[in-house]
Amino acid sequence: EAGVAQSPRYKIIEKRQSVAFWCNPISGHATLYWYQQILGQGPKLLIQFQNNGVVDDSQLPKDRFSAERLKGVDSTLKIQPAKLEDSAVYLCASSWGGHQPQHFGDGTRLSIL
Amino acid sequence: EDKVVQSPLSLVVHEGDTVTLNCSYEVTNFRSLLWYKQEKKAPTFLFMLTSSGIEKKSGRLSSILDKKELFSILNITATQTGDSAIYLCAVHYTGANSKLTFGKGITLSVRP
């Protein structure tokens, strides 16, 4: 079974620029999550999708972050404009449904200069 | 605020040692607790625990949950250098939202 695919693996941008990340979940997984992991911390949920609907985006900074999951499969996460504090690893995870083990992609390491 | 606390934050052992990693939680509407291993890439799933007192085992790793005292332990016996990683503990709530609330992680270094 193929795992969760994410791209790019690394991204370096200057503050105030925009950036987008892509995630392809495990085939058949209805639930998709985006987490932000700052160095030395555990991952923190940004947004959760069930199929193509949003279940929880309460911790997503909506003035600069946006995410979509069109057609209930792939998802993109965008940051515009980026701030220095957005430097982190952005992890995508998927699961069969709620409360099942989540399987993570390798993440995108974002550095803001 | 719900909280997941892991201890110790870092640990250095020698190959062959046995280690115990701790995770305590203060979570209302608790549903399950999960352990993940994170090397340089993705966190990889180890165990999911929902019932007290039932040990889950996979090779040299084992874990158990105490829902009365609100903690879990992850044991690794006969450690190897390949066990060096960050071990993350996370908790599921009940309800429609199935997000994981993570602890900060425990950095384990196994020296030859």
Side-chain angles (χ1 to χ4, degrees):
Chain A
E1 167 178 271
V4 177
Q6 288 189 248
S7 67
R9 287 295 318 280
Y10 305 93
K11 191 74 178 177
I12 301 173
I13 62 172
E14 295 186 347
K15 61 183 178 183
R16 291 188 288 275
Q17 287 188 324
S18 62
V19 64
F21 314 126
W22 173 83
C23 173
N24 182 246
I26 292 172
S27 178
H29 280 193
T31 312
L32 184 148
Y33 311 80
W34 283 101
Y35 288 88
Q36 179 192 58
Q37 187 175 23
I38 292 171
L39 188 64
Q41 303 286 326
K44 182 186 83 171
L45 181 76
L46 293 175
I47 189 166
Q48 175 188 344
F49 292 95
Q50 179 73 21
N51 297 308
N52 60 350
V54 175
V55 175
D56 182 3
D57 64 357
S58 58
Q59 297 193 85
L60 187 74
K62 298 182 187 65
D63 58 334
R64 299 183 301 106
F65 285 63
S66 64
E68 60 183 10
R69 191 184 184 197
L70 300 176
K71 302 180 182 178
V73 181
D74 292 9
S75 177
T76 56
L77 176 70
K78 296 179 182 177
I79 308 175
Q80 183 178 14
K83 291 186 174 181
L84 292 175
E85 61 259 35
D86 299 332
S87 292
V89 176
Y90 291 84
L91 293 164
C92 179
S94 69
S95 66
W96 285 109
H99 303 111
Q100 297 300 310
Q102 295 174 22
H103 298 273
F104 287 81
D106 286 344
T108 296
R109 184 175 297 278
L110 176 66
S111 298
I112 311 295
L113 304 178
Chain B
E1 181 181 316
D2 297 321
K3 190 190 294 186
V4 179
V5 178
Q6 295 188 248
S7 64
L9 289 182
S10 65
L11 193 55
V12 180
V13 300
H14 289 97
E15 272 192 317
D17 287 351
T18 293
V19 298
T20 298
L21 310 180
N22 301 292
C23 176
S24 65
Y25 60 94
E26 299 174 9
V27 175
T28 55
N29 302 318
F30 172 86
R31 182 185 178 101
S32 58
L33 184 144
L34 292 83
W35 284 96
Y36 285 84
K37 176 183 181 181
Q38 186 173 27
E39 295 172 268
K40 292 198 180 298
K41 299 182 180 179
T44 53
F45 171 72
L46 296 175
F47 299 112
M48 184 166 78
L49 305 157
T50 55
S51 301
S52 270
I54 299 174
E55 183 183 57
K56 294 227 172 171
K57 197 171 172 65
S58 176
R60 296 176 295 102
L61 276 65
S62 64
S63 185
I64 197 161
L65 175 68
D66 185 327
K67 290 170 75 173
K68 182 179 177 184
E69 300 298 328
L70 306 182
F71 77 91
S72 173
I73 59 172
L74 176 67
N75 279 321
I76 309 175
T77 59
T79 52
Q80 302 171 357
T81 55
D83 295 326
S84 297
I86 297 172
Y87 290 84
L88 293 164
C89 170
V91 172
H92 260 150
Y93 301 96
T94 58
N97 183 331
S98 56
K99 73 175 184 180
L100 288 170
T101 299
F102 282 88
K104 290 186 177 181
I106 297 170
T107 301
L108 174 65
S109 299
V110 181
R111 292 185 174 165

